[in-house]
Amino acid sequence: MKKKVVLAFSGGLDTSFCCIYLTKDRDLEVHSVIVNTGGFSDDELKEIEKRAYALGVSSHAVVDETENYYNSCIKYLIFGNVLKNATYPLSVSAERVSQATAIANYVKKIGADYVAHGSTGAGNDQVRFDMIFNIMIPGVEIITPIRDLKLSREAEIEYLNKHGVEYTAEKARYSINKGIWGTSVGGKETLTSRETLPEEAWPTQVSETKERDIELTFEKGELVGIDGEKFSPVKAIQKLQAIAQPYGIGRDIHVGDTIIGIKGRVGFEAAAPIIIIKSHHTLEKHTLTKWQLSWKDQLAGFYGNWLHEGQFHDPVMRNMEAFLADTQETVSGKVFVKLHPYRFQVIGIESGHDLMSNKFGSYGEMNNSWSGEDVKGFSKIFGNQTMIYHRVNEKK
C-alpha cells in the first residue's frame, strides 16, 4: 500500500505542483485539505475541490475553522488593537497558525505518514507550518517540495504544463490569500522597495464613492452590531467587510522583518480589520484608565509579534489572552464612523462607561473635583524627586 500524505491545499500554483509531484514523483497517496478561515464562498470551495481531484488526489476535505479562528485568535488581536509595525493587522500571519493547527489535527484524524505544504524557502510560512507540525505531530515527516527543490514559479509552470495541467504566467502573476481578517496580495511590485500595486491587482475594485455613516456596537470589546442590527462577531466582521471594502479602505503595503531575518513586503486589503481596530481603540481610550491602556500596549505588541512568528502554542500566549480579555469588561458602547473612498474617520463614541465625563471636569475649561490650591500642592509633590536631583547635581 502507498503511504499517505496530507497536503495543505489552496488550489494555487505551489500546491498544484505539490499534488502532481507527490503523486507522480514520490508515489504517495495524496489527501488534500483546505482550511477555510472565512475567505472562501461555497462556490469557490467546490471549484478548489474539483481542481484537487483533477490533479489526482485520493481524497479532498474542507475544514471550516472560521469560528474557531475568531474565538482563539482574532478576538485577542482586536482586544490588543494589534497592527504590526503600526500598519498590518496580521491578516496572513494569524491565519497560518490556525490553518497549521487544523491540518495537524487532520493528519492525526486520518493517520497519515507525511504532511506536506507548498511554502518556499524564503518566507515566514515555512517556519510557522514546520514549527506547529513539530509541536503537534512530532512523529510525522514534513515534505516541502517547492523549498527542497528550490523551484522558481516559471519552473513550476513548466512542470505542470508537461504533466498536462494548464497554467500560465499571467494566471500566476499575483499571489492572493483571502481570509476573514484580510486579503494579502503579492506580486513583482512587492519584491521591490519602491513600487506599489496597480489598481487592477487589488481583489476588490472600488465601486462605492458616496460617503456613508455607520454605527458600530461593541460589547466587552467585541463587535456585535452594525447600524442597530445585531450579529455574531464573525458575521459582523463579514458584514462590515462587505460594506467598506468597495470603498478601497484598508489598502496598504506592509514592510516588516521576517522570522528568517530578511525584510519583506506584502500588499493587503483589510477594510473591516482596520476599521474595527481603530474604532475599538477609540472606544478603549474613553473607557479604560491610563495604566490599563499602557500595559495593554506593551503586552499586545509582544502578543502580535509572537503570533506573527507562529508561536501561538506557547503557554505565555494564554496568560496574555487572559489579561487582554479581563481589560474588556467596560469596553462597551457605540462608535460612529464615516466612510469615504480610500479612507475613513472615527467620529466619536457613546458609552455608559465613558470616563470623559463632565461631572468631573472639562479638559482645559472647568474642574469640578479639585481646587487651584490642590493643583499647586500636587504639582510640587509630583515634581519633587526630579527637583531634588537637579538641586543636588547642578553644581557638579
Side-chain angles (χ1 to χ4, degrees), residues 128-220:
R128 296 176 184 130
F129 277 97
D130 282 12
M131 180 173 59
I132 289 173
F133 293 157
N134 286 327
I135 291 168
M136 296 189 66
I137 44 174
V140 177
E141 185 178 335
I142 303 166
I143 304 174
T144 54
I146 310 301
R147 176 176 63 185
D148 296 344
L149 298 171
K150 298 182 179 179
L151 295 171
S152 67
R153 294 177 75 79
E154 292 74 21
E156 291 178 63
I157 292 168
E158 183 180 345
Y159 177 91
L160 286 173
N161 290 341
K162 189 175 86 170
H163 284 85
V165 180
E166 186 180 344
Y167 219 105
T168 65
E170 181 60 31
K171 187 176 180 181
R173 186 179 173 193
Y174 292 102
S175 175
I176 296 172
N177 185 88
K178 186 178 180 183
I180 192 175
W181 206 235
T183 301
S184 68
V185 186
K188 63 182 180 64
E189 295 86 359
T190 57
L191 298 176
T192 73
S193 296
R194 182 184 184 279
E195 296 182 55
T196 190
L197 292 165
E199 185 67 26
E200 63 271 16
W202 298 104
T204 307
Q205 296 293 289
V206 175
S207 57
E208 293 287 351
T209 56
K210 186 178 179 181
E211 68 179 39
R212 174 173 174 174
D213 293 302
I214 57 172
E215 175 188 297
L216 305 181
T217 301
F218 288 85
E219 289 181 3
K220 295 186 177 181

XYZ file of all heavy atoms in Angstrom, residues 128-220:
756
model
N 6.326 28.760 10.259
C 5.071 28.602 11.001
C 4.538 27.178 10.871
O 4.193 26.534 11.868
C 4.027 29.598 10.491
C 4.391 31.053 10.723
C 3.348 31.975 10.107
N 3.719 33.372 10.233
C 3.713 34.249 9.231
N 3.346 33.878 8.015
N 4.057 35.500 9.441
N 4.451 26.685 9.631
C 3.928 25.341 9.418
C 4.838 24.285 10.040
O 4.368 23.406 10.776
C 3.748 25.082 7.918
C 2.452 25.610 7.365
C 2.393 26.841 6.741
C 1.284 24.874 7.481
C 1.203 27.335 6.240
C 0.085 25.353 6.975
C 0.036 26.590 6.357
N 6.127 24.328 9.730
C 7.051 23.317 10.257
C 7.023 23.282 11.779
O 6.967 22.207 12.398
C 8.479 23.604 9.792
C 8.745 23.175 8.357
O 7.769 22.862 7.642
O 9.915 23.157 7.953
N 7.085 24.450 12.398
C 7.164 24.508 13.856
C 5.900 23.931 14.503
O 5.982 23.136 15.456
C 7.375 25.950 14.317
C 7.478 26.104 15.818
S 7.932 27.779 16.289
C 6.575 28.702 15.567
N 4.740 24.305 13.990
C 3.488 23.818 14.576
C 3.331 22.321 14.336
O 2.863 21.583 15.218
C 2.297 24.630 14.039
C 2.346 26.042 14.652
C 0.963 23.949 14.360
C 1.341 27.016 14.099
N 3.755 21.845 13.170
C 3.722 20.395 12.931
C 4.673 19.669 13.886
O 4.348 18.605 14.411
C 4.085 20.081 11.479
C 3.078 20.564 10.465
C 3.460 20.784 9.152
C 1.761 20.798 10.816
C 2.536 21.228 8.206
C 0.820 21.246 9.890
C 1.224 21.461 8.574
N 5.845 20.242 14.110
C 6.805 19.622 15.038
C 6.265 19.587 16.463
O 6.559 18.668 17.230
C 8.140 20.369 15.002
C 8.940 20.083 13.754
O 8.880 18.983 13.214
N 9.699 21.056 13.285
N 5.480 20.604 16.830
C 4.890 20.657 18.171
C 3.745 19.654 18.298
O 3.663 18.903 19.275
C 4.375 22.085 18.474
C 5.545 23.060 18.638
C 3.498 22.084 19.736
C 5.127 24.518 18.660
N 2.867 19.605 17.293
C 1.616 18.850 17.401
C 1.698 17.416 16.883
O 0.995 16.532 17.376
C 0.500 19.603 16.680
C 0.157 20.947 17.290
S -1.328 21.653 16.561
C -2.592 20.487 17.084
N 2.518 17.191 15.847
C 2.632 15.845 15.267
C 4.113 15.519 15.057
O 4.574 15.350 13.926
C 1.834 15.728 13.945
C 2.056 16.956 13.035
C 0.352 15.539 14.208
C 1.419 16.848 11.666
N 4.876 15.441 16.146
C 6.332 15.333 16.041
C 6.830 14.085 15.314
O 7.948 14.069 14.796
C 6.797 15.350 17.498
C 5.603 14.931 18.295
C 4.432 15.463 17.554
N 6.013 13.021 15.237
C 6.464 11.807 14.570
C 6.179 11.762 13.082
O 6.519 10.782 12.409
N 5.556 12.811 12.553
C 5.158 12.830 11.135
C 6.184 13.625 10.325
O 6.495 14.774 10.666
C 3.750 13.453 10.970
C 3.367 13.547 9.496
C 2.715 12.631 11.741
N 6.697 13.013 9.251
C 7.702 13.676 8.412
C 7.073 14.785 7.570
O 5.977 14.616 7.024
C 8.384 12.664 7.501
C 9.530 13.257 6.681
C 10.231 12.236 5.806
O 10.179 11.022 6.140
O 10.823 12.642 4.791
N 7.756 15.911 7.465
C 7.272 17.070 6.710
C 7.941 17.081 5.334
O 9.169 16.977 5.230
C 7.581 18.373 7.456
C 6.965 18.356 8.850
C 7.082 19.580 6.664
C 7.486 19.445 9.783
N 7.128 17.210 4.274
C 7.651 17.296 2.903
C 7.331 18.685 2.359
O 6.179 19.130 2.410
C 7.022 16.229 1.988
C 7.239 14.827 2.560
C 7.602 16.319 0.576
C 6.526 13.730 1.775
N 8.347 19.359 1.824
C 8.152 20.711 1.270
C 8.815 20.782 -0.106
O 9.943 21.246 -0.243
C 8.750 21.774 2.209
O 10.121 21.432 2.476
C 7.993 21.847 3.517
N 8.106 20.340 -1.158
C 8.716 20.235 -2.493
C 9.258 21.543 -3.051
O 10.357 21.562 -3.625
C 7.564 19.704 -3.351
C 6.677 18.987 -2.397
C 6.740 19.778 -1.137
N 8.523 22.632 -2.915
C 8.964 23.903 -3.514
C 10.261 24.356 -2.861
O 11.209 24.775 -3.522
C 7.885 24.996 -3.362
C 6.509 24.491 -3.831
C 8.287 26.254 -4.133
C 6.463 24.031 -5.270
N 10.313 24.260 -1.544
C 11.507 24.662 -0.804
C 12.682 23.729 -1.093
O 13.792 24.181 -1.384
C 11.202 24.670 0.695
C 12.415 24.974 1.575
C 12.027 25.077 3.048
N 11.506 23.838 3.594
C 11.022 23.725 4.838
N 11.000 24.785 5.631
N 10.568 22.575 5.270
N 12.427 22.425 -1.043
C 13.518 21.460 -1.174
C 14.121 21.456 -2.580
O 15.332 21.274 -2.743
C 13.017 20.063 -0.811
C 12.594 19.957 0.652
O 12.970 20.857 1.431
O 11.883 19.003 1.006
N 13.270 21.657 -3.578
C 13.748 21.639 -4.965
C 14.193 23.018 -5.450
O 14.677 23.152 -6.570
C 12.647 21.095 -5.885
C 12.201 19.652 -5.609
C 10.970 19.304 -6.438
C 13.335 18.680 -5.888
N 13.992 24.044 -4.610
C 14.378 25.423 -4.935
C 13.812 25.862 -6.290
O 14.524 26.339 -7.169
C 15.906 25.578 -4.927
C 16.538 25.295 -3.572
C 18.040 25.499 -3.585
C 18.647 25.236 -2.224
N 20.118 25.417 -2.217
N 12.504 25.706 -6.417
C 11.842 25.953 -7.698
C 11.409 27.400 -7.874
O 10.903 28.023 -6.943
C 10.614 25.049 -7.827
C 10.887 23.544 -7.896
C 9.580 22.780 -7.785
C 11.598 23.186 -9.196
N 11.584 27.916 -9.083
C 11.018 29.214 -9.452
C 9.577 28.989 -9.910
O 9.178 27.848 -10.229
C 11.822 29.841 -10.595
O 11.668 29.066 -11.783
N 8.809 30.068 -9.956
C 7.429 29.946 -10.429
C 7.405 29.476 -11.878
O 6.535 28.706 -12.288
C 6.699 31.284 -10.258
C 6.523 31.678 -8.792
C 5.876 33.031 -8.606
N 4.458 33.020 -8.861
C 3.539 32.581 -8.008
N 3.892 32.054 -6.855
N 2.260 32.632 -8.308
N 8.378 29.934 -12.662
C 8.449 29.523 -14.070
C 8.696 28.016 -14.183
O 8.100 27.340 -15.033
C 9.562 30.298 -14.786
C 9.310 31.786 -14.969
C 9.463 32.597 -13.681
O 10.139 32.100 -12.737
O 8.889 33.698 -13.602
N 9.564 27.489 -13.325
C 9.859 26.055 -13.345
C 8.630 25.237 -12.945
O 8.368 24.161 -13.511
C 11.024 25.747 -12.416
N 7.858 25.745 -11.981
C 6.630 25.059 -11.569
C 5.626 25.012 -12.707
O 4.994 23.981 -12.963
C 6.014 25.774 -10.367
C 6.808 25.656 -9.077
C 6.154 26.433 -7.952
O 5.022 26.086 -7.589
O 6.759 27.398 -7.451
N 5.470 26.137 -13.390
C 4.532 26.211 -14.514
C 4.940 25.241 -15.617
O 4.107 24.512 -16.184
C 4.452 27.656 -15.052
C 3.785 28.569 -14.010
C 3.679 27.710 -16.373
C 3.918 30.048 -14.305
N 6.233 25.193 -15.916
C 6.737 24.284 -16.947
C 6.464 22.824 -16.559
O 6.055 22.012 -17.401
C 8.240 24.509 -17.141
C 8.854 23.667 -18.247
C 10.346 23.921 -18.394
O 10.853 24.925 -17.848
O 11.005 23.091 -19.047
N 6.684 22.485 -15.310
C 6.449 21.122 -14.813
C 4.966 20.756 -14.953
O 4.620 19.660 -15.421
C 6.891 21.028 -13.358
C 6.648 19.690 -12.699
C 7.616 18.695 -12.717
C 5.447 19.427 -12.034
C 7.398 17.456 -12.093
C 5.212 18.208 -11.421
C 6.186 17.228 -11.448
O 5.958 16.011 -10.840
N 4.083 21.670 -14.541
C 2.647 21.393 -14.617
C 2.201 21.222 -16.063
O 1.428 20.304 -16.389
C 1.859 22.522 -13.944
C 1.912 22.555 -12.407
C 1.237 23.806 -11.873
C 1.255 21.312 -11.810
N 2.670 22.101 -16.940
C 2.293 22.001 -18.353
C 2.764 20.674 -18.943
O 2.072 20.047 -19.759
C 2.874 23.178 -19.146
C 2.191 24.497 -18.800
O 1.089 24.511 -18.252
N 2.845 25.604 -19.093
N 3.950 20.204 -18.534
C 4.497 18.943 -19.015
C 3.619 17.762 -18.608
O 3.525 16.748 -19.309
C 5.914 18.752 -18.469
C 6.661 17.567 -19.085
C 8.090 17.508 -18.578
C 8.129 16.741 -17.267
N 9.530 16.447 -16.826
N 2.941 17.916 -17.459
C 2.055 16.856 -16.980
C 0.591 17.112 -17.350
O -0.330 16.533 -16.743
C 2.196 16.704 -15.463
C 3.446 15.997 -15.047
N 4.644 16.654 -14.887
C 3.696 14.676 -14.791
C 5.582 15.784 -14.523
N 5.035 14.582 -14.464
N 0.376 17.978 -18.346
C -0.973 18.188 -18.864
C -1.841 19.110 -18.044
O -3.067 19.149 -18.221
N -1.241 19.853 -17.127
C -2.009 20.807 -16.309
C -1.723 22.209 -16.833
O -0.586 22.691 -16.771
C -1.626 20.708 -14.821
C -2.428 21.713 -13.999
C -1.848 19.293 -14.315
N -2.757 22.863 -17.361
C -2.572 24.179 -17.972
C -2.416 25.255 -16.901
O -3.260 25.405 -16.014
C -3.763 24.510 -18.873
C -3.586 25.799 -19.657
C -4.773 26.113 -20.553
O -5.584 25.203 -20.800
O -4.894 27.274 -20.990
N -1.316 25.965 -16.966
C -1.070 27.079 -16.037
C -0.213 28.095 -16.762
O 0.776 27.729 -17.411
C -0.344 26.593 -14.773
C -0.829 27.241 -13.504
C -1.641 26.564 -12.613
C -0.492 28.559 -13.206
C -2.092 27.155 -11.443
C -0.945 29.157 -12.038
C -1.742 28.457 -11.168
O -2.208 29.051 -10.018
N -0.589 29.353 -16.704
C 0.135 30.399 -17.426
C 0.792 31.372 -16.456
O 0.384 31.489 -15.296
C -0.814 31.193 -18.343
O -1.762 31.901 -17.527
C -1.549 30.263 -19.309
N 1.802 32.071 -16.963
C 2.485 33.069 -16.140
C 1.529 34.194 -15.751
O 1.617 34.752 -14.654
C 3.687 33.626 -16.889
N 0.602 34.527 -16.637
C -0.360 35.593 -16.355
C -1.259 35.202 -15.190
O -1.559 36.000 -14.312
C -1.213 35.873 -17.602
C -2.228 36.990 -17.437
C -1.609 38.339 -17.086
O -0.464 38.606 -17.506
O -2.268 39.132 -16.386
N -1.660 33.929 -15.164
C -2.513 33.431 -14.085
C -1.789 33.477 -12.746
O -2.391 33.673 -11.698
C -2.949 32.003 -14.410
C -3.984 31.434 -13.455
C -4.435 30.052 -13.907
C -5.480 29.491 -12.950
N -5.909 28.136 -13.350
N -0.476 33.284 -12.807
C 0.327 33.258 -11.580
C 0.952 34.609 -11.257
O 1.834 34.704 -10.408
C 1.426 32.207 -11.725
N 0.486 35.672 -11.926
C 1.108 36.986 -11.789
C 1.034 37.520 -10.362
O 1.987 38.104 -9.851
C 0.428 37.966 -12.755
C 1.087 39.332 -12.813
C 0.358 40.211 -13.813
N 0.850 41.572 -13.792
C 0.232 42.601 -14.369
N -0.901 42.403 -15.025
N 0.730 43.808 -14.290
N -0.118 37.347 -9.718
C -0.270 37.802 -8.333
C -0.678 36.638 -7.434
O -1.516 35.814 -7.807
C -1.308 38.926 -8.242
C -0.839 40.197 -8.906
C -1.304 40.552 -10.162
C 0.109 41.012 -8.291
C -0.844 41.705 -10.788
C 0.574 42.154 -8.901
C 0.097 42.497 -10.153
O 0.558 43.632 -10.772
N -0.071 36.598 -6.274
C -0.407 35.595 -5.271
C -1.369 36.223 -4.276
O -1.032 37.206 -3.607
C 0.872 35.126 -4.573
O 0.555 34.234 -3.525
N -2.578 35.674 -4.190
C -3.632 36.273 -3.365
C -4.076 35.275 -2.304
O -4.333 34.109 -2.599
C -4.830 36.708 -4.233
C -4.392 37.827 -5.195
C -6.001 37.168 -3.373
C -5.428 38.206 -6.219
N -4.149 35.731 -1.072
C -4.587 34.892 0.038
C -5.706 35.622 0.781
O -5.497 36.710 1.320
C -3.422 34.618 0.992
C -3.829 33.656 2.089
O -3.728 32.453 1.936
N -4.286 34.195 3.212
N -6.880 35.015 0.803
C -8.057 35.686 1.357
C -8.564 34.969 2.599
O -8.727 33.750 2.610
C -9.170 35.726 0.299
C -10.398 36.517 0.709
C -11.417 36.523 -0.426
C -12.670 37.318 -0.039
N -13.696 37.266 -1.118
N -8.807 35.731 3.657
C -9.388 35.197 4.884
C -10.276 36.246 5.518
O -10.357 37.389 5.050
N -10.928 35.886 6.606
C -11.857 36.814 7.246
C -11.149 38.046 7.805
O -11.747 39.111 7.934
C -12.649 36.094 8.366
C -13.824 36.979 8.837
C -11.739 35.715 9.515
C -14.723 36.303 9.844
N -9.847 37.930 8.111
C -9.117 39.047 8.699
C -8.246 39.772 7.668
O -7.268 40.414 8.022
C -8.308 38.581 9.899
C -8.023 39.642 10.910
C -6.807 40.018 11.395
C -8.975 40.492 11.576
N -6.945 41.035 12.315
C -8.273 41.347 12.451
C -10.378 40.608 11.513
C -8.904 42.301 13.249
C -11.012 41.557 12.311
C -10.271 42.385 13.174
N -8.629 39.701 6.387
C -7.936 40.465 5.367
C -7.410 39.603 4.239
O -7.326 38.381 4.342
N -7.057 40.256 3.144
C -6.548 39.595 1.946
C -5.160 40.126 1.631
O -4.953 41.337 1.561
C -7.477 39.861 0.742
O -8.787 39.369 1.050
C -6.957 39.190 -0.519
N -4.199 39.215 1.445
C -2.848 39.641 1.077
C -2.672 39.528 -0.429
O -3.299 38.683 -1.080
C -1.799 38.781 1.787
O -1.830 37.455 1.294
N -1.826 40.396 -0.972
C -1.544 40.410 -2.408
C -0.037 40.543 -2.596
O 0.577 41.514 -2.151
C -2.251 41.585 -3.126
C -2.062 41.467 -4.641
C -3.730 41.636 -2.779
N 0.553 39.569 -3.254
C 1.980 39.627 -3.557
C 2.208 39.575 -5.059
O 1.504 38.864 -5.775
N 3.168 40.339 -5.536
C 3.495 40.351 -6.961
C 4.872 40.935 -7.172
O 5.595 41.208 -6.210
N 5.235 41.166 -8.416
C 6.580 41.676 -8.701
C 6.818 43.030 -8.049
O 7.938 43.364 -7.666
C 6.813 41.753 -10.213
C 5.918 42.707 -10.983
C 6.217 42.658 -12.471
C 5.329 43.598 -13.267
N 5.530 45.015 -12.950
N 5.745 43.815 -7.890
C 5.905 45.141 -7.281
C 6.299 45.046 -5.808
O 7.058 45.875 -5.310
C 4.605 45.952 -7.409
C 4.198 46.290 -8.838
C 3.379 45.194 -9.497
O 3.143 44.147 -8.848
O 2.971 45.372 -10.665
N 5.770 44.040 -5.112
C 6.080 43.920 -3.683
C 7.469 43.331 -3.436
O 7.933 43.291 -2.290
C 5.020 43.065 -2.955
O 4.938 41.773 -3.565
C 3.660 43.734 -3.021
N 8.125 42.887 -4.496
C 9.502 42.411 -4.376
C 10.500 43.559 -4.450
O 11.704 43.361 -4.284
C 9.817 41.382 -5.466
C 8.979 40.100 -5.425
C 9.323 39.211 -6.606
C 9.200 39.352 -4.110
N 9.992 44.777 -4.705
C 10.835 45.968 -4.737
C 10.593 46.793 -3.477
O 9.638 46.566 -2.741
C 10.520 46.843 -5.967
O 9.251 47.508 -5.760
C 10.449 46.015 -7.245
N 11.450 47.781 -3.259
C 11.263 48.698 -2.128
C 10.522 49.959 -2.537
O 10.183 50.783 -1.679
C 12.629 49.086 -1.540
O 13.282 47.971 -1.002
N 10.245 50.121 -3.829
C 9.730 51.394 -4.320
C 8.321 51.311 -4.909
O 7.505 52.207 -4.718
C 10.688 51.951 -5.388
C 10.285 53.299 -5.943
C 11.217 53.759 -7.060
N 10.896 55.093 -7.521
C 9.928 55.382 -8.380
N 9.187 54.402 -8.884
N 9.690 56.640 -8.728
N 8.017 50.252 -5.621
C 6.780 50.212 -6.405
C 5.575 49.829 -5.554
O 5.703 49.169 -4.523
C 6.922 49.221 -7.558
C 7.974 49.612 -8.579
C 8.037 48.620 -9.724
O 6.986 48.372 -10.346
O 9.135 48.079 -9.971
N 4.403 50.263 -6.022
C 3.158 49.876 -5.365
C 2.336 49.034 -6.329
O 2.640 48.947 -7.525
C 2.365 51.117 -4.919
O 1.278 50.696 -4.079
C 1.802 51.889 -6.120
N 1.313 48.402 -5.811
C 0.474 47.546 -6.646
C -0.425 48.387 -7.539
O -0.976 49.403 -7.097
C -0.387 46.641 -5.766
C 0.361 45.565 -4.982
C -0.535 44.993 -3.889
C 0.837 44.458 -5.905
N -0.612 47.988 -8.791
C -1.527 48.714 -9.668
C -2.971 48.475 -9.253
O -3.275 47.498 -8.546
C -1.241 48.116 -11.047
C -0.752 46.734 -10.758
C 0.011 46.828 -9.463
N -3.848 49.332 -9.692
C -5.261 49.236 -9.312
C -5.849 47.863 -9.621
O -6.585 47.282 -8.813
C -6.065 50.327 -10.036
C -7.526 50.412 -9.638
C -7.749 50.880 -8.209
O -6.871 51.584 -7.677
O -8.801 50.541 -7.638
N -5.503 47.317 -10.768
C -6.113 46.042 -11.172
C -5.649 44.864 -10.334
O -6.255 43.782 -10.376
C -5.837 45.758 -12.653
C -4.371 45.576 -13.020
C -3.666 46.874 -13.396
O -4.206 47.959 -13.094
O -2.593 46.791 -14.006
N -4.572 45.032 -9.550
C -4.064 43.922 -8.727
C -4.910 43.696 -7.482
O -4.904 42.600 -6.916
C -2.617 44.197 -8.320
N -5.646 44.736 -7.051
C -6.427 44.590 -5.822
C -7.642 43.705 -6.080
O -8.390 43.936 -7.046
C -6.876 45.952 -5.300
C -5.724 46.838 -4.936
C -5.249 47.895 -5.648
C -4.887 46.721 -3.782
N -4.171 48.451 -5.011
C -3.915 47.750 -3.862
C -4.855 45.852 -2.694
C -2.941 47.928 -2.891
C -3.891 46.028 -1.724
C -2.948 47.058 -1.823
N -7.892 42.704 -5.268
C -9.016 41.789 -5.499
C -10.377 42.478 -5.503
O -11.278 42.075 -6.231
C -8.904 40.799 -4.327
C -7.478 40.832 -3.948
C -7.035 42.256 -4.159
N -10.527 43.508 -4.652
C -11.794 44.249 -4.614
C -11.599 45.605 -5.277
O -10.831 46.436 -4.784
C -12.281 44.451 -3.167
O -12.329 43.182 -2.497
C -13.670 45.081 -3.163
N -12.282 45.819 -6.365
C -12.193 47.095 -7.063
C -13.108 48.134 -6.401
O -14.126 47.794 -5.799
C -12.579 46.921 -8.532
C -11.624 46.016 -9.305
C -10.237 46.625 -9.460
O -10.049 47.576 -10.204
N -9.265 46.076 -8.741
N -12.735 49.404 -6.500
C -13.513 50.472 -5.868
C -14.786 50.733 -6.672
O -14.732 51.060 -7.858
C -12.678 51.765 -5.760
C -13.539 52.903 -5.213
C -11.470 51.534 -4.861
N -15.919 50.565 -6.004
C -17.209 50.781 -6.670
C -18.115 51.722 -5.883
O -19.147 52.156 -6.392
C -17.928 49.441 -6.879
O -18.106 48.770 -5.639
N -17.735 52.047 -4.634
C -18.521 52.975 -3.808
C -17.782 54.303 -3.693
O -16.605 54.325 -3.319
C -18.750 52.394 -2.414
C -19.629 51.161 -2.375
C -21.094 51.483 -2.614
O -21.456 52.681 -2.645
O -21.882 50.535 -2.765
N -18.449 55.386 -3.992
C -17.817 56.708 -3.926
C -18.588 57.705 -3.058
O -18.057 58.760 -2.720
C -17.681 57.299 -5.341
O -18.968 57.348 -5.963
C -16.746 56.446 -6.199
N -19.807 57.372 -2.687
C -20.616 58.279 -1.870
C -20.331 58.027 -0.398
O -20.377 56.894 0.076
C -22.104 58.052 -2.154
C -23.018 59.044 -1.454
C -24.474 58.784 -1.832
C -25.400 59.766 -1.118
N -26.833 59.500 -1.467
N -20.012 59.095 0.362
C -19.685 58.913 1.774
C -20.869 58.308 2.527
O -22.031 58.525 2.192
C -19.240 60.218 2.420
C -20.286 61.282 2.564
C -19.731 62.527 3.243
O -18.582 62.911 2.960
O -20.489 63.118 4.059
N -20.535 57.548 3.579
C -21.575 56.837 4.330
C -21.232 56.832 5.806
O -20.086 56.610 6.194
C -21.696 55.394 3.814
C -22.646 54.523 4.619
C -22.853 53.176 3.988
N -23.656 52.287 4.833
C -24.080 51.083 4.476
N -23.774 50.612 3.266
N -24.800 50.347 5.306
N -22.238 57.071 6.648
C -22.075 56.997 8.096
C -22.512 55.619 8.573
O -23.580 55.126 8.184
C -22.916 58.066 8.799
C -22.416 59.468 8.516
O -21.241 59.736 8.818
O -23.189 60.284 7.981
N -21.704 55.000 9.433
C -22.085 53.723 10.023
C -21.910 53.790 11.536
O -21.116 54.572 12.059
C -21.275 52.538 9.451
C -19.770 52.740 9.646
C -21.595 52.314 7.988
C -18.954 51.522 9.270
N -22.663 52.952 12.223
C -22.645 52.889 13.682
C -22.248 51.472 14.093
O -22.912 50.509 13.721
C -24.040 53.216 14.216
C -24.211 53.081 15.716
C -25.672 53.232 16.107
O -26.233 54.324 15.890
O -26.265 52.235 16.596
N -21.161 51.350 14.828
C -20.661 50.054 15.261
C -20.924 49.875 16.755
O -20.635 50.768 17.552
C -19.159 49.938 15.005
C -18.685 50.186 13.569
C -17.176 50.014 13.477
C -19.397 49.269 12.583
N -21.471 48.731 17.126
C -21.772 48.442 18.532
C -20.817 47.375 19.051
O -20.705 46.294 18.463
C -23.221 47.945 18.697
O -24.116 48.953 18.202
C -23.525 47.670 20.165
N -20.141 47.715 20.141
C -19.219 46.778 20.792
C -19.781 46.369 22.145
O -20.346 47.197 22.860
C -17.844 47.423 21.009
C -17.047 47.618 19.755
C -17.231 48.749 18.964
C -16.093 46.686 19.364
C -16.493 48.941 17.809
C -15.352 46.867 18.214
C -15.543 47.998 17.430
N -19.616 45.089 22.487
C -19.941 44.596 23.823
C -18.729 43.871 24.367
O -18.261 42.891 23.779
C -21.142 43.648 23.776
C -22.462 44.349 23.499
C -23.655 43.396 23.490
O -23.443 42.190 23.762
O -24.773 43.849 23.200
N -18.181 44.393 25.453
C -16.975 43.834 26.073
C -15.880 43.587 25.037
O -15.244 42.538 25.012
C -17.307 42.562 26.838
C -18.227 42.828 28.033
C -18.436 41.601 28.882
C -19.309 41.947 30.095
N -19.530 40.789 30.993
